[in-house]
Amino acid sequence: MKLTFKHTQLACYLAYISQAITTTFLPLLFVRLGVEFGFSLTKLTVLITITFFTEIFIDAVCPLFINKIGYRAGMVFANICAVMGTAGLAVFPFVFKNPYIGFIICDILYAVGGGFDEVLVSPIVEACPTKNKARAMGLLHSFYCWGCAAIVLFSTLFFRFAGIDNWRMLAILWAMIPLVNTFLFMFVPIRTIEEEKGSGKFSDMLKNPLFWLMLIVMICAGASELSMSQWASAFAETGLKVSKTMGDLLGPCAFAILMGLSRVIYSRIDDKTDISKILMIGAFVCIFGYLLASLSGNAIASLIGCAICGIAVAPMWPGAFSIASKEIPNASTAMFAAFALAGDLGCTAGPSIVGFVSGANDNIAKGLLCSVVFPAVMIVCLIFMQVINKKKRV
């Protein structure tokens, strides 16, 4: 069977599902790890921080490697790291005298894979011969959401019927997805973004004010999304006092499903749509969702707030990539790497701030309340961007 660019897109979809595993599965075990290993909220927060700091480092150095090894080798390596890190959760914590070291090693392994995914998957899809780039990008990023939803749903069912004591077996099962994708990326056709749009100088992008505004938008997008998704499960279970099963289904699972649906709807837009306005509306709705979740004092209302955030943050990440690809001439792999780095900075800062504030106050709701600053800053940047674009058109 001859593999086409449709198979390339499928491989990229699976890569984002693998990415969802690395960011979603371990937080579902936070309460369990606290009981089994005695990990504090601060230690659990550090695990999140290590994951994303590793991804940030890879985002920064990845373009240097890719120029030497190419996209294909980079994606194969990314999937191998994801397999080792995810399956390693069942092994490494029990090899070392201090189990925490084992979790850190797994964190680093699948974060390396995640970093390569962040840099390479979007430009690979952008370079595929498709007519509507914004639609393709929105659909691509929806698979991260479906991955998150599937992981929460099937993990919850597994815990319900097989028992959470067997979480190590589930880690090995989830590792099968990047394992399959390793072989898929060995054979699918791959084009580079430079082949699609031409090679641009990164120094020229640094002189473009839109580049810097979009970097800040990416930071806010990552922080707005991950602050809720990383802490929704623990917030529901310990802060709202609902069962783990109901908390996971109504918190992070609903968040991911609604984010996925919202991204599918976003993927139906045409190239003439003003994406910045969509992002601005999402930022306002996100503020409302965080306020409802953290201040309502009612379990149902708080869970609704979590779900609303899923709808609100959906267009932020793919929308920022689409705006940058459209507004910044000769978008290169280095530009996508810079935006991935900025997004991961947000993914690190958001959950980490929530965790440290929550730990200091012994109240996750207070940590989530701090997150409203991220969509608020995004709104300010989008307003500046619109002002700059109006001046360019005059």
Side-chain angles (χ1 to χ4, degrees):
M1 183 180 68
K2 184 179 179 180
L3 297 180
T4 67
F5 282 102
K6 289 185 177 180
H7 296 101
T8 306
Q9 290 177 309
L10 173 62
C12 290
Y13 298 156
L14 290 177
Y16 263 2
I17 292 175
S18 297
Q19 181 82 349
I21 294 171
T22 65
T23 58
T24 305
F25 179 58
L26 193 61
L28 294 176
L29 300 171
F30 275 179
V31 176
R32 171 65 190 181
L33 297 182
V35 173
E36 186 172 344
F37 299 103
F39 295 160
S40 64
L41 271 178
T42 300
K43 276 194 169 184
L44 295 172
T45 300
V46 170
L47 287 178
I48 297 174
T49 306
I50 289 173
T51 299
F52 290 107
F53 265 124
T54 304
E55 289 196 9
I56 288 169
F57 174 75
I58 297 300
D59 292 342
V61 302
C62 184
L64 303 177
F65 285 104
I66 295 307
N67 288 336
K68 297 181 182 297
I69 66 175
Y71 278 28
R72 188 183 307 280
M75 288 307 303
V76 169
F77 177 70
N79 281 282
I80 290 173
C81 288
V83 172
M84 294 177 63
T86 306
L89 290 171
V91 179
F92 293 127
F94 305 92
V95 171
F96 296 92
K97 186 175 181 181
N98 183 352
Y100 195 66
I101 295 175
F103 282 106
I104 290 175
I105 291 173
C106 293
D107 256 352
I108 293 173
L109 280 171
Y110 58 58
V112 168
F116 273 87
D117 284 342
E118 287 288 349
V119 174
L120 300 181
V121 171
S122 290
I124 288 174
V125 170
E126 183 73 19
C128 285
T130 53
K131 293 182 179 180
N132 192 320
K133 300 296 185 180
R135 178 176 298 180
M137 195 65 68
L139 187 61
L140 167 69
H141 286 266
S142 75
F143 273 85
Y144 172 78
C145 310
W146 300 129
C148 290
I151 291 153
V152 174
L153 179 60
F154 287 111
S155 296
T156 299
L157 292 174
F158 181 91
F159 296 151
R160 177 69 178 81
F161 293 105
I164 198 169
D165 291 345
N166 294 311
W167 62 267
R168 294 180 289 277
M169 184 186 303
L170 185 58
I172 294 174
L173 292 176
W174 284 128
M176 295 300 102
I177 293 177
L179 179 62
V180 170
N181 212 24
T182 300
F183 294 100
L184 191 55
F185 264 111
M186 289 180 180
F187 303 106
V188 295
I190 295 177
R191 295 177 67 187
T192 67
I193 192 69
E194 287 80 8
E195 290 172 339
E196 172 74 7
K197 295 191 173 186
S199 180
K201 293 183 179 179
F202 191 66
S203 58
D204 291 338
M205 297 181 200
L206 296 177
K207 299 173 185 176
N208 191 332
L210 291 179
F211 173 80
W212 294 102
L213 286 173
M214 294 313 300
L215 276 182
I216 299 174
V217 168
M218 284 298 299
I219 292 173
C220 295
S224 298
E225 180 180 328
L226 269 293
S227 293
M228 181 60 75
S229 67
Q230 291 285 290
W231 286 103
S233 177
F235 175 56
E237 191 173 352
T238 62
L240 304 180
K241 307 301 181 183
V242 300
S243 68
K244 176 167 181 57
T245 299
M246 291 304 297
D248 285 350
L249 290 177
L250 297 178
C253 188
F255 175 93
I257 289 174
L258 290 174
M259 184 165 65
L261 288 172
S262 184
R263 278 184 175 166
V264 169
I265 294 171
Y266 167 79
S267 72
R268 307 312 298 173
I269 68 172
D270 57 44
D271 286 334
K272 296 180 181 179
T273 304
D274 188 345
I275 300 174
S276 64
K277 291 182 179 179
I278 295 176
L279 265 60
M280 195 173 297
I281 293 171
F284 277 113
V285 175
C286 186
I287 291 173
F288 172 74
Y290 269 107
L291 291 175
L292 182 62
S294 58
L295 298 178
S296 67
N298 178 276
I300 294 176
S302 293
L303 290 171
I304 290 174
C306 293
I308 287 174
C309 284
I311 298 173
V313 302
M316 293 179 178
W317 195 289
F321 274 126
S322 296
I323 292 172
S325 297
K326 184 178 180 180
E327 299 291 342
I328 299 175
N330 292 336
S332 66
T333 302
M335 186 197 76
F336 279 91
F339 288 153
L341 190 153
D344 282 335
L345 277 173
C347 291
T348 304
S352 297
I353 290 172
V354 172
F356 289 127
V357 173
S358 300
N361 295 275
D362 198 25
N363 188 331
I364 298 178
K366 289 185 178 180
L368 290 175
L369 181 60
C370 295
S371 299
V372 297
V373 68
F374 301 117
V377 172
M378 178 183 288
I379 291 170
V380 174
C381 290
L382 291 170
I383 291 173
F384 274 115
M385 189 189 73
Q386 289 180 341
V387 171
I388 292 172
N389 283 334
K390 285 181 180 179
K391 288 183 177 179
K392 286 168 61 178
R393 289 191 290 266
V394 173

